[in-house]
């Protein structure tokens, strides 16, 4: 399975992009939120990937953040929410707003996404209300947090949750990854961001 792609961004369309890795162009479908974070072609780009294997195709879905990929996986567990609808939801609502909408039972907010009617919105609320607690909220691109003070501790916890999800996707057990992630965030202090935390945690876990 492909978990990540890093290469030259060859093309960007309304709902997909092509990433050239060693001369092979990978077609990656993505939310408008992820596509908006990509550089201009033909610059280097990196996306997290969810690989979906069907009888007639192998499909790649790309994400700028681990939090968005985690929500894609959760949303597609709901009957009636396929990959296309999940991307439409993530294009309309960032993870933090999605959590609020589900927790509050705000069906109107969910129906803002293409392909989501009132009945499907109700199903999403009913099936995910008890599952969304602890899901990552994501952070704005480039956001940094410190580990001192009430507000910044909350941000650090969000980064820790996203980093643990990413490391789980790479095959690391939570029990071994969590103390490493916590040490990295503490060491980085006010310079902690998700990419740096994952990179430094991988270095420690590889030792």
């Amino acid at each position: 399975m492909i978990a990540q792609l890093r290469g030259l961004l060859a093309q960007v369309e309304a709902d997909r992009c092509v990433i050239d890795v060693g001369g092979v162009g990978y077609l990656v479908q993505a939310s408008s939120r992820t596509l908006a974070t990509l550089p201009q072609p033909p610059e280097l780009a990196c996306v997290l990937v969810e690989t979906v294997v069907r009888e007639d195709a192998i499909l790649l879905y790309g994400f700028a953040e681990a939090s968005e990929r985690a929500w894609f996986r959760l949303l597609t567990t709901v009957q009636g929410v396929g990959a296309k609808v999940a991307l439409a939801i993530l294009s309309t609502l960032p993870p933090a707003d999605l959590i609020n909408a589900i927790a509050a039972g705000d069906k109107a907010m969910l129906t803002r996404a293409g392909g989501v009617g009132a009945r499907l919105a109700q199903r999403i609320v009913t099936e995910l209300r008890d599952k969304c607690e602890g899901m990552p909220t994501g952070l704005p691109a480039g956001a940094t947090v410190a580990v001192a003070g009430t507000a910044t501790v909350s941000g650090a916890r969000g980064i820790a949750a996203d980093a643990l999800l990413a490391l789980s996707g790479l095959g690391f057990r939570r029990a071994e990854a969590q103390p490493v992630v916590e040490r990295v965030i503490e060491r980085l202090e006010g310079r902690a961001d998700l990419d740096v935390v994952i990179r430094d945690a991988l270095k420690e876990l590889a030792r």
Side-chain angles (χ1 to χ4, degrees):
M1 292 293 186
I2 297 173
Q4 178 178 286
L5 286 174
R6 183 188 298 272
L8 293 178
L9 184 63
Q11 183 180 347
V12 178
E13 299 178 8
D15 59 354
R16 66 189 68 190
C17 64
V18 176
I19 298 179
D20 186 325
V21 182
V24 178
Y26 290 88
L27 180 64
V28 181
Q29 299 179 61
S31 70
S32 60
R33 195 172 306 278
T34 284
L35 293 173
T37 69
L38 297 177
Q40 292 296 316
E43 294 185 25
L44 185 67
C46 180
V47 292
L48 300 174
V49 171
E50 180 75 0
T51 304
V52 176
V53 179
R54 301 191 324 202
E55 289 185 3
D56 58 343
I58 298 176
L59 304 173
L60 304 180
Y61 298 93
F63 307 94
E65 296 181 349
S67 58
E68 193 183 40
R69 182 170 63 179
W71 271 102
F72 176 85
R73 290 170 174 170
L74 183 62
L75 285 167
T76 52
T77 65
V78 178
Q79 183 182 358
V81 179
K84 184 177 181 180
V85 171
L87 289 181
I89 293 172
L90 292 169
S91 293
T92 305
L93 299 172
D97 289 351
L98 195 47
I99 288 176
N100 291 336
I102 293 172
D106 191 343
K107 294 180 290 183
M109 184 174 286
L110 291 169
T111 57
R112 288 165 48 194
V116 180
R119 183 176 298 178
L120 182 55
Q122 180 61 59
R123 189 179 301 143
I124 291 170
V125 168
T126 301
E127 294 189 20
L128 299 187
R129 179 173 280 161
D130 295 335
K131 298 179 181 179
C132 69
E133 183 178 354
M135 286 292 290
T137 59
L139 289 171
T144 58
V145 297
V147 292
T150 304
T152 54
V153 166
S154 176
R157 286 174 180 164
I159 283 184
D162 287 357
L164 287 171
L165 278 171
L167 292 169
S168 296
L170 294 173
F172 294 99
R173 292 182 294 108
R174 185 182 182 90
E176 65 176 333
Q178 185 165 355
V180 173
V181 168
E182 291 174 354
R183 282 199 304 272
V184 167
I185 290 177
E186 184 176 1
R187 184 174 69 245
L188 289 171
E189 297 179 343
R191 302 180 305 281
D193 65 53
L194 182 59
D195 289 342
V196 175
V197 170
I198 293 173
R199 183 195 65 199
D200 287 6
L202 282 171
K203 287 181 180 178
E204 288 198 29
L205 288 165
R207 291 174 185 169

